[in-house]
Amino acid sequence: MHELSIVMGIVDIAEEHARREGAQSVEEIELEIGCLTTVEMEAFESAWKQAVKTTILEHSVKTIHRTPGRAGCLECAAEFPLENLYDACPDCQGHFLQIYQGKELRVRSLVIH
Amino acid sequence: MCSTCGCDGDGHVISHLGQQDQAGGQLHSHTHGHGHHDHTHSLAKSHEHHPGSRVVQVEKDVLYENNLLAERNRGYFEAKEILAINLVSSPGSGKTTLLERTLTDLQGDADFFVIEGDQQTTLDADRIHATGAKVVQINTNKGCHLDAHMVMHAMQGLKLSNNAVLFIENVGNLVCPAMFDLGEQERVVIMSVTEGDDKPLKYPDMFHSSSLCIINKTDLLPYVPFDIEKAAANAKRVNPSLEIIEVSCTTGEGLSQWYEWLQSK
Ligand SMILES: Nc1nc2c(ncn2[C@@H]2O[C@H](COP(=O)(O)OP(=O)(O)OP(=O)(O)O)[C@@H](O)[C@H]2O)c(=O)[nH]1
Ligand SMILES: [Zn+2]
Ligand SMILES: [Zn+2]
Ligand SMILES: [Zn+2]
């Protein structure tokens, strides 16, 4: 359950920013979790429920953006959506890929009060 | 409170085995938690929400703190010319056995140090300690992976020498440790022929982020339906630059290739 560590990392970031801004509460939090990360969303939700208790995120509304995977082929330069790390290039069937997008794991913004 | 990083509170337990500490004891433990904070500012753009509320743009990587400490570990390794290797696998594939054989066979070739990650016991660390290598145990309790912060603290007790080799045996789990950079130079994923040959497809992140894959327990190939070519092909689909070495820790077959790989690093 590394999802718990991830939620704790998010709480740390939110608390630091809220404190710096002199906020009393975080009303909303906006996250980006790419589809190619190993974050399992069900595990994430249950970790969230447990870990935000008694923190500044306890009553926050959270929005999660799931960025789809995107890769470029290093052999033929095609660019295409990537669902799994083991998918081949649709043009040349090559596996030497560069991942452009889908690995994000970020706190984008907060709405503080 | 930890003076290096200012962390406080509870968390994992680090035990230094078989080393003299100030108390002269064999085993000394302390706990550490997480309390790290950064100081980079992002532009706070304000716009309307509830009266009195405003939007703060954060744009911060959730693993930022871990990655920062990993870079710090890496810098330390580079300065001391230490080869740090993160060993990952599912439970029971033979990480500890491989380490035992390696430490015994290569005794005297280099200074070896080991950090053992385990959820509960010191069993693995005891096995490593028996080979004469210097070992520190990290018990992650419920945690299913090591992180850079744990490794940083584990190293403080190890007194690593220059030009040493440091093996970090991660918790047996192919999912969680994939996300956590420890500052290692090489990540080695170990699978065994008693597992499915589709492992690389089921846990692609681990194979994607490793530089070497060791396929262990080849002595059992006659008894299991494992297709070694298929396993290697699957691993290459995920990571075409992955090197693959087949070994049996029981018979010793293939181990010389692993030792050559170590030598080359
Ligand atoms: N037949 C055979 N058995 C092996 C080989 N290598 C290890 N084993 C056995 O596999 C079992 C598990 O080995 P360990 O070295 O404890 O595995 P591990 O990866 O450290 O396990 P965890 O720390 O629990 O994740 C032990 O019973 C070993 O004796 C091998 O090459 N062949
Ligand atoms: Zn996990
Ligand atoms: Zn291509
Ligand atoms: Zn600390």
Side-chain angles (χ1 to χ4, degrees):
Chain A
M1 262 281 282
H2 56 302
E3 285 78 7
L4 192 59
S5 311
I6 289 166
V7 174
M8 276 155 41
I10 294 169
V11 170
D12 277 352
I13 291 172
E15 290 195 327
E16 169 69 9
H17 281 262
R19 182 170 342 117
R20 189 189 294 157
E21 303 286 335
Q24 303 298 312
S25 64
V26 174
E27 286 168 4
E28 292 172 41
I29 182 164
E30 190 191 10
L31 307 171
E32 180 172 12
I33 302 179
C35 293
L36 295 175
T37 61
T38 58
V39 179
E40 216 275 299
M41 292 316 284
E42 256 174 60
F44 183 82
E45 290 297 340
S46 62
W48 183 272
K49 281 202 195 94
Q50 280 179 37
V52 302
K53 278 185 197 143
T54 75
T55 74
I56 200 154
L57 293 181
E58 184 164 10
H59 303 294
S60 315
V61 177
K62 103 173 137 357
T63 308
I64 301 177
H65 301 273
R66 307 278 346 248
T67 321
R70 240 190 128 63
C73 177
L74 296 177
E75 289 176 288
C76 77
E79 202 186 312
F80 51 90
L82 190 70
E83 244 174 82
N84 307 291
L85 289 177
Y86 52 79
D87 288 344
C89 165
D91 286 2
C92 76
Q93 312 311 316
H95 281 283
F96 281 98
L97 311 178
Q98 181 165 7
I99 294 167
Y100 293 141
Q101 188 191 288
K103 285 272 187 190
E104 302 79 5
L105 186 54
R106 268 204 292 257
V107 178
R108 277 193 182 170
S109 67
L110 304 173
V111 177
I112 56 170
H113 189 84
Chain B
M1 160 102 90
C2 141
S3 57
T4 314
C5 58
C7 69
D8 49 35
D10 51 43
H12 51 278
V13 180
I14 295 174
S15 321
H16 303 284
L17 273 88
Q19 283 175 273
Q20 296 297 108
D21 56 22
Q22 299 92 313
Q26 281 290 295
L27 203 95
H28 124 104
S29 358
H30 55 247
T31 56
H32 281 288
H34 301 260
H36 304 285
H37 304 288
D38 64 277
H39 304 282
T40 50
H41 287 258
S42 45
L43 280 180
K45 271 193 283 177
S46 293
H47 72 212
E48 282 166 84
H49 259 262
H50 298 142
S53 301
R54 63 205 160 89
V55 177
V56 178
Q57 298 298 330
V58 178
E59 292 300 342
K60 174 150 226 157
D61 196 305
V62 175
L63 296 176
Y64 169 86
E65 198 60 58
N66 183 75
N67 295 340
L68 208 65
L69 289 170
E71 281 312 325
R72 183 179 159 154
N73 290 346
R74 204 177 337 269
Y76 177 81
F77 296 141
E78 274 167 18
K80 290 178 78 73
E81 299 190 35
I82 289 166
L83 174 62
I85 299 178
N86 183 3
L87 297 170
V88 294
S89 81
S90 33
S93 61
K95 292 186 299 300
T96 312
T97 311
L98 180 76
L99 272 178
E100 283 177 305
R101 289 239 23 178
T102 306
L103 296 168
T104 309
D105 292 349
L106 300 187
Q107 215 154 38
D109 289 8
D111 283 337
F112 291 102
F113 295 84
V114 179
I115 294 175
E116 273 291 333
D118 215 325
Q119 291 194 303
Q120 298 285 352
T121 67
T122 62
L123 293 173
D124 286 353
D126 295 339
R127 283 166 60 187
I128 298 301
H129 183 48
T131 69
K134 294 169 205 82
V135 57
V136 162
Q137 169 88 39
I138 302 175
N139 281 125
T140 56
N141 296 319
K142 286 204 192 110
C144 44
H145 57 267
L146 297 179
D147 62 33
H149 183 222
M150 296 176 193
V151 168
M152 187 187 86
H153 280 298
M155 283 188 319
Q156 288 171 344
L158 265 179
K159 301 197 176 62
L160 294 164
S161 40
N162 291 344
N163 298 303
V165 179
L166 171 67
F167 291 110
I168 305 168
E169 182 177 339
N170 219 312
V171 180
N173 173 341
L174 278 177
V175 182
C176 311
M179 284 191 97
F180 295 83
D181 183 2
L182 306 179
E184 73 266 20
Q185 273 95 5
E186 303 285 342
R187 187 175 289 186
V188 176
V189 59
I190 297 156
M191 61 189 286
S192 62
V193 305
T194 53
E195 302 164 40
D197 41 38
D198 54 359
K199 267 269 155 83
L201 305 184
K202 286 185 176 159
Y203 303 97
D205 278 80
M206 199 55 103
F207 289 83
H208 194 257
S209 62
S210 296
S211 45
L212 172 67
C213 170
I214 290 183
I215 303 180
N216 186 29
K217 307 194 190 182
T218 52
D219 56 295
L220 299 179
L221 276 174
Y223 316 104
V224 292
F226 187 90
D227 183 338
I228 208 152
E229 314 258 280
K230 204 156 125 201
N234 284 338
K236 292 270 193 192
R237 274 174 69 187
V238 177
N239 179 359
S241 22
L242 188 69
E243 289 182 67
I244 296 173
I245 297 179
E246 300 164 18
V247 308
S248 162
C249 289
T250 301
T251 66
E253 205 182 339
L255 284 177
S256 56
Q257 268 188 73
W258 154 241
Y259 300 151
E260 278 161 28
W261 183 90
L262 276 176
Q263 214 78 55
S264 73
K265 295 296 162 184

